[in-house]
Amino acid sequence: EPEVTQTPSHQVTQMGQEVILRCVPISNHLYFYWYRQILGQKVEFLVSFYNNEISEKSEIFDDQFSVERPDGSNFTLKIRSTKLEDSAMYFCASSYPDLGQYFGPGTRLTVT
Amino acid sequence: AQTVTQSQPEMSVQEAETVTLSCTYDTSESDYYLFWYKQPPSRQMILVIRQEAYKQQNATENRFSVNFQKAAKSFSLKISDSQLGDAAMYFCALNDYKLSFGAGTTVTVRA
């Protein structure tokens, strides 16, 4: 069964450093998303991406964040200058219209 | 704005018994989708079941079923014949252009 994959599974970085989180969505899906979950809290929407552009973004997704789909398979989330409060689990998800979003296993980001 | 409310932080069920998780939501849309996701300790988010708002028939997936009451904006999940592997956090979610999640319900299964 096709699945969303994410790398790395765990990333440790120092405050102020740039990180890139990578995702490979399910191949025939058209919509791509990033969510984050701070430990013990609910899952929060960051951004959605369709047709090679951002379709929606939340107030969390400020100028420090960017997304790209550099080729036909990868979907990346970049955080330019990480802060302590960026420590969270980051989930990539993809969907075909209206069939539910399928999540990757997540990347645990720790900012020290 | 969309909101999703799960009023039960924790539920406990005996193995082989049935447990029902509550969810209420608010949206101004007439056409939308509702989902239940399971998050085990691994923190993977697993899609359990989906319901289309324009369908009156309640969705069922094996031991999982929903009671969808559109007028009341209620979407509960019933887990029948509970198994130890069902122990997890369960999130209700509402889909417009993004998923809005509830705070989650932790389900514990007693052997």
Side-chain angles (χ1 to χ4, degrees), chain A residues 77-96:
Chain A
L77 174 69
K78 182 193 292 186
I79 309 174
R80 287 191 184 80
S81 178
T82 50
K83 303 187 282 285
L84 293 176
E85 53 265 38
D86 293 328
S87 294
M89 183 74 96
Y90 288 81
F91 291 103
C92 173
S94 69
S95 71
Y96 198 80

Side-chain angles (χ1 to χ4, degrees), chain B residues 31-106:
Chain B
D31 191 17
Y32 49 88
Y33 294 79
L34 292 157
F35 305 89
W36 279 96
Y37 282 85
K38 171 184 178 181
Q39 187 178 45
S42 66
R43 299 189 71 185
Q44 170 84 50
M45 295 289 287
I46 302 166
L47 178 61
V48 174
I49 198 165
R50 63 188 286 269
Q51 174 78 43
E52 297 158 65
Y54 63 86
K55 285 190 176 178
Q56 291 186 336
Q57 186 173 6
N58 289 321
T60 299
E61 285 287 341
N62 300 313
R63 297 182 295 106
F64 298 88
S65 61
V66 298
N67 183 2
F68 173 51
Q69 302 289 328
K70 190 172 184 179
K73 294 184 177 175
S74 169
F75 182 60
S76 61
L77 174 71
K78 184 169 79 171
I79 308 174
S80 303
D81 186 26
S82 297
Q83 300 175 0
L84 295 177
D86 295 332
M89 177 84 88
Y90 286 81
F91 291 97
C92 177
L94 168 65
N95 186 38
D96 180 4
Y97 60 86
K98 64 179 176 76
L99 283 175
S100 297
F101 286 88
T105 298
T106 300

Side-chain angles (χ1 to χ4, degrees), chain A residues 18-41:
Chain A
E18 175 184 286
V19 294
I20 297 176
L21 310 183
R22 302 179 192 280
C23 168
V24 179
I26 294 173
S27 61
N28 66 336
H29 284 186
L30 302 178
Y31 295 83
F32 314 110
Y33 310 83
W34 284 100
Y35 292 84
R36 80 173 186 189
Q37 184 184 32
I38 295 171
L39 187 64
Q41 298 186 21

